[in-house]
Amino acid sequence: TLAGLYDRAGDKWREPVNAPNGLLTKIFCNDQLLSVLDREPAAHTQELNIRNAIHHRSTEYAVSDGGTLTFTADRFVSQDNLHLLVSKYSIRSTQDCRVVIETGIDLDVWDINGPHLYGQTVQLKDEVLISSSVSGELKIPVVVAERAVFSFGEELLEDGAAVRRISFHARAGETYEWFKCVAVYTGLDADQPETEAVKSVHAAEALGYEALFKSHRLIWDERWSHSDVIIEGDEAAQFALRYSIYQLLIIAPTVSEKVSIPARGLSGQVYKGAVFWDTEMFMLPFFLHSDPKVARNLMMYRIHTLDGARRKAAEYGFLGAFYAWESQDTGDDACTLFNVNDVFTGRPMRTYFRDKQVHISGDVVHGIWKYVQFTGDESLLTSGGAEVIWECARFFYSYAYYNSVKQRFEILDVTGPDEYHERVNNNAFTNALVKETLEIALRTAALLQEKYPEDYSQLSAQFSSGPFLEEFKTMLDSFYVPQPDPASLVIEQFDRYLTLEDVELTELKSRVLNKNEYFGGGNGLATTTTILKQADVVLMLNLFKHSFSKEVKQANWEFYEPRTEHGSSLSPCIYALVAADIGSPDWGYPYFMRTATVDLTGESKQYVGDLYIGGTHPAANGGAWMAAVLGFAGLDYDGGVVHINPSLPKHWQSVQLPVTLRGDTIQLRISKDEVTVITAADYSGDLVFSVQGGEGKSCSAGETLRLAFDETGL
């Protein structure tokens, strides 16, 4: 699945393009195909080594006269050259036999809504097999180049064929080994993708498998050195968290700022390969702490897709930038108006993900400002970030409603994170993000006026006709955000939420007639009840945790958690984070584990109605990291002070991790009674550390700082 390359076939929705598979390999023994799909193997193992991102497989087949043939394969996508796939194979038989290996490029590409590749040609150039095609919609070339390197056997390649045939007599007890290198390039990568693909394959062949793997492994060593989190006292949590981190590392846009992270990574074409708000809210924090360059790429993607957000706002009659609910290459919204089919009638159901989840623009602004605040890299603002912020504020100004009776601005007719309740008024999460957007718009202007007056003058000129800063301030001064009830401390999720049927989740589920029926929409089971899909108010309390007391957070956690179905993989980690924040980590631990193991257990929703939504869950992977580091370890960097407020589960002895802050990488060990800070020899000395609200302490280069504390503080 190719990052950033999308195609639309006919009137179906756009999705990412799948490339032909250059690792195709089939084994025949005495004219019989050996395949686990056709017969039960005598033995079969496979493993994914997440330390160095290599997949190993070993399969033992029973052959004639009681003999066996063992086939092994190791493969990886080179971290040193992301266009390159490398694989090493071996065959070993217990008896003499005739073996034929078919290897090359599999041109039989399956798509959900394809086909997407046309004009397929195959050629052999300098011993390299080359498959060339173009995408249907945008006519983007897609090239796969393959080279198989054998030191045995007789090779046959028919003209125009995409598969080589290597025939040989295997002697009993001897091991036959070969390797393949495959390069994938598109017209988005190079002006001459075929030339680059062939060059890449020849360079890989010259280096050989071991050298390629060594360079790949060294980069993975470096990446883990900046991201590994060590949990002492919980092997299950340790494994699940490392797996989550691995999933984030393999999907990170390390090179390009024109792509982001789709909701299902690159595990398939589900959700149209689109980028959601998941990126800013659930994945960005991991990269801010471990790889700020990737964090910048993620936010630059939003800057590059600003015009698509402008087009969407104009489509609905608003000003500014209304960011896509499902964003692809241009930023235009790929979300359809009828996303889900009714499981009873088969009719498409009108949903309001595309046109009413306006909080996405606020999520983008939140991410941009978080990056600037966290890294100190203000160049993001002058590189388009300020323009995005102001355009999103203009959108909210034009979307808002001024209630002349109550003399306040409100946000009406929206859908918040809880998608079971559509078209509601004054969703607390949405209103809080709108308020923050207005505040950030004003702060951005003040920062640029003070430090970058020329940039401010140039950027602000396009907003001379308004609405701009004066209107933003007017709206902010009388803007409504739902507040805690004085008696219960509960924040109503949206206007009149508390008038809905207050039913227990078990009771609601007893009403289910079809296991895949959608709980939201016009006739959904949850629509007229207080049952919500995922963290909404509680998510707001996590984002703005410094604005609310422990009592308010606990009251809302206790109120909303029994009413939350956790119908999204984004939800459990938020309850873990807030539980840790209020000093109840053992409440949060099951939600952390549910998040961290979502792709290990497969216990996630696979269908909404009849729409398949399976695949990996990178937002949950990011949420697992947030729960462990920002929640249980209590790490909170505000751009000036590193605040650490540990709230470890009872069986965790400590959490150790590296953190990259303002260009420095420091090592932290956080236990139940002490925080240890270790700095490198080239540490700048600019950070201040505070544990449990105690006095800030600085640390010198190459020094170990130990800060002891107990339940009452330092």
Side-chain angles (χ1 to χ4, degrees):
T1 305
L2 303 177
L5 179 57
Y6 297 88
D7 184 73
R8 181 174 185 178
D11 59 355
K12 301 173 184 178
W13 61 55
R14 298 180 87 230
E15 63 187 6
V17 172
N18 283 332
N21 174 22
L23 295 179
L24 171 69
T25 301
K26 295 181 180 181
I27 308 297
F28 296 82
C29 179
N30 295 331
D31 299 323
Q32 186 174 29
L33 174 65
L34 304 182
S35 170
V36 295
L37 302 178
D38 295 336
R39 66 164 81 178
E40 185 75 18
H44 178 72
T45 61
Q46 58 179 332
E47 66 181 30
L48 173 66
N49 186 324
I50 61 175
R51 185 67 178 82
N52 51 35
I54 186 170
H55 180 273
H56 171 76
R57 167 221 176 140
S58 177
T59 307
E60 182 181 300
Y61 297 98
V63 293
S64 58
D65 300 325
T68 61
L69 183 147
T70 300
F71 169 69
T72 69
D74 294 280
R75 60 180 180 177
F76 61 92
V77 178
S78 172
Q79 196 62 36
D80 192 37
N81 176 1
L82 296 179
H83 296 279
L84 189 66
L85 295 82
V86 183
S87 190
K88 178 175 66 175
Y89 306 88
S90 74
I91 285 176
R92 183 182 179 89
S93 177
T94 60
Q95 62 181 28
D96 291 354
C97 58
R98 178 165 180 78
V99 174
V100 175
I101 301 168
E102 289 188 355
T103 188
I105 304 172
D106 185 357
L107 305 179
D108 186 13
V109 178
W110 182 89
D111 299 289
I112 293 178
N113 285 321
H116 299 301
L117 298 179
Y118 297 88
Q120 191 89 52
T121 62
V122 177
Q123 60 176 310
L124 182 67
K125 181 185 293 186
D126 298 330
E127 299 186 303
V128 175
L129 266 178
I130 305 166
S131 160
S132 300
S133 54
V134 295
S135 65
E137 180 188 8
L138 302 178
K139 311 304 180 189
I140 304 295
V142 176
V143 176
V144 178
E146 180 263 11
R147 175 77 174 107
V149 181
F150 290 86
S151 60
F152 58 88
E154 178 184 353
E155 180 175 334
L156 174 65
L157 178 63
E158 298 177 4
D159 290 341
V163 177
R164 311 168 188 269
R165 292 173 58 88
I166 291 84
S167 304
F168 67 102
H169 288 280
R171 295 184 177 276
E174 290 192 16
T175 299
Y176 299 86
E177 188 174 276
W178 71 100
F179 98 98
K180 279 168 64 86
C181 40
V182 178
V184 182
Y185 277 81
T186 77
L188 301 179
D189 305 316
D191 293 334
Q192 300 292 329
E194 181 180 306
T195 300
E196 293 301 320
V198 172
K199 186 190 304 181
S200 184
V201 165
H202 279 311
E205 180 185 1
L207 287 170
Y209 179 86
E210 296 304 328
L212 292 169
F213 180 61
K214 180 180 179 181
S215 61
H216 164 79
R217 189 184 67 243
L218 288 175
I219 295 176
W220 269 99
D221 288 344
E222 177 69 13
R223 299 191 77 191
W224 278 111
S225 73
H226 289 282
S227 59
D228 191 20
V229 178
I230 301 172
I231 300 171
E232 182 184 356
D234 191 340
E235 291 185 5
Q238 175 70 87
F239 176 74
L241 182 57
R242 278 184 168 150
Y243 182 80
S244 295
I245 293 171
Y246 170 79
Q247 290 293 334
L248 292 167
L249 292 176
I250 64 171
I251 199 59
T254 55
V255 177
S256 175
E257 60 182 37
K258 297 285 183 72
V259 297
S260 184
I261 303 178
R264 289 294 181 262
L266 293 178
S267 64
Q269 296 167 313
V270 175
Y271 283 143
K272 312 177 185 75
V275 178
F276 288 69
W277 67 305
D278 306 22
T279 305
E280 284 76 20
M281 290 292 140
F282 296 88
M283 291 178 265
L284 179 66
F286 168 77
F287 295 108
L288 285 175
H289 288 78
S290 63
D291 195 339
K293 291 181 180 178
V294 170
R296 194 180 201 280
N297 284 346
L298 293 174
M299 299 324 303
M300 284 301 300
Y301 165 80
R302 293 298 193 181
I303 291 170
H304 287 303
T305 53
L306 173 59
D307 283 343
R310 285 178 172 138
R311 286 190 289 269
K312 181 179 176 182
E315 175 190 347
Y316 285 101
F318 299 109
L319 302 174
F322 183 4
Y323 270 87
W325 184 241
E326 296 181 355
S327 182
Q328 297 179 335
D329 47 350
T330 65
D332 293 280
D333 208 324
C335 186
T336 60
L337 299 180
F338 295 84
N339 269 290
V340 182
N341 289 334
D342 185 284
V343 294
F344 302 108
T345 66
R347 293 172 179 166
M349 296 169 57
R350 176 67 160 97
T351 56
Y352 293 91
F353 308 140
R354 184 187 201 273
D355 34 9
K356 299 302 178 183
Q357 297 222 45
V358 301
H359 66 80
I360 183 65
S361 287
D363 302 329
V364 170
V365 171
H366 178 88
I368 290 175
W369 189 254
K370 195 75 174 176
Y371 171 83
V372 173
Q373 180 187 47
F374 199 94
T375 65
D377 178 16
E378 295 168 351
S379 71
L380 187 72
L381 297 175
T382 57
S383 299
E387 192 175 0
V388 168
I389 291 168
W390 293 335
E391 288 285 44
C392 289
R394 278 161 49 84
F395 166 68
F396 286 134
Y397 182 84
S398 66
Y399 193 94
Y401 165 76
Y402 184 74
N403 189 322
S404 58
V405 175
K406 297 181 179 180
Q407 296 186 328
R408 68 189 190 191
F409 284 91
E410 301 178 341
I411 303 294
L412 308 182
D413 195 15
V414 300
T415 302
D418 168 24
E419 295 167 343
Y420 290 165
H421 297 94
E422 298 179 324
R423 308 196 71 170
V424 302
N425 296 333
N426 292 314
N427 170 255
F429 174 87
T430 302
N431 284 29
L433 265 293
V434 172
K435 179 175 181 288
E436 184 191 44
T437 297
L438 296 170
E439 292 171 341
I440 290 172
L442 295 172
R443 289 178 197 157
T444 299
L447 186 153
L448 294 186
Q449 285 172 322
E450 178 185 354
K451 293 187 175 182
Y452 312 96
E454 292 185 6
D455 290 292
Y456 173 78
S457 178
Q458 182 177 355
L459 287 169
S460 63
Q462 61 185 293
F463 302 105
S464 58
S465 61
F468 196 43
L469 303 181
E470 183 177 341
E471 288 82 1
F472 298 164
K473 187 176 187 308
T474 298
M475 180 174 167
L476 185 61
D477 288 343
S478 56
F479 184 69
Y480 171 64
V481 177
Q483 296 299 310
D485 177 79
S488 68
L489 301 183
V490 170
I491 300 171
E492 192 171 25
Q493 184 173 296
F494 52 80
D495 290 353
R496 298 183 59 76
Y497 167 81
L498 296 176
T499 67
L500 300 174
E501 179 188 5
D502 194 17
V503 61
E504 291 187 0
L505 183 57
T506 52
E507 164 60 22
L508 184 78
K509 289 189 173 182
S510 73
R511 303 172 185 176
V512 169
L513 299 179
N514 183 302
K515 66 178 182 178
N516 292 329
E517 64 181 281
Y518 180 50
F519 281 15
N523 299 312
L525 287 175
T527 301
T528 57
T529 76
T530 56
I531 298 299
L532 49 146
K533 178 182 178 182
Q534 65 195 75
D536 196 306
V537 169
V538 177
L539 175 57
M540 179 196 71
L541 294 174
N542 177 65
L543 283 182
F544 304 105
K545 62 182 180 180
H546 299 299
S547 300
F548 298 94
S549 67
K550 174 183 175 181
E551 291 74 20
V552 167
K553 285 179 274 194
Q554 180 161 336
N556 283 273
W557 197 103
E558 293 180 351
F559 178 83
Y560 281 108
E561 199 290 322
R563 295 168 174 82
T564 304
E565 191 232 347
H566 299 296
S568 165
S569 62
L570 309 181
S571 186
C573 66
I574 300 303
Y575 282 90
L577 279 157
V578 176
D581 187 29
I582 61 178
S584 300
D586 294 319
W587 288 8
Y589 180 78
Y591 299 96
F592 159 74
M593 287 300 291
R594 181 172 173 176
T595 302
T597 60
V598 65
D599 290 332
L600 295 170
T601 64
E603 294 176 1
S604 62
K605 273 191 176 179
Q606 300 295 303
Y607 286 90
V608 173
D610 61 359
L611 178 67
Y612 177 66
I613 58 170
T616 59
H617 297 76
N621 303 139
W625 180 92
M626 288 197 299
V629 174
L630 308 184
F632 300 144
L635 182 62
D636 182 18
Y637 178 56
D638 62 10
V641 178
V642 183
H643 299 275
I644 304 173
N645 296 287
S647 186
L648 299 181
K650 59 185 177 183
H651 56 297
W652 287 21
Q653 301 304 310
S654 69
V655 175
Q656 301 177 56
L657 71 150
V659 182
T660 300
L661 303 172
R662 299 294 173 103
D664 286 311
T665 298
I666 58 172
Q667 299 290 329
L668 296 175
R669 183 180 186 275
I670 300 164
S671 68
K672 295 182 183 294
D673 56 9
E674 184 181 74
V675 172
T676 303
V677 182
I678 303 174
T679 61
D682 59 350
Y683 170 63
S684 66
D686 292 337
L687 299 174
V688 175
F689 301 88
S690 171
V691 177
Q692 288 194 341
E695 179 184 353
K697 302 285 186 179
S698 59
C699 190
S700 302
E703 181 182 345
T704 297
L705 175 67
R706 289 185 171 85
L707 301 171
F709 62 92
D710 56 32
E711 292 182 356
T712 61
L714 288 174

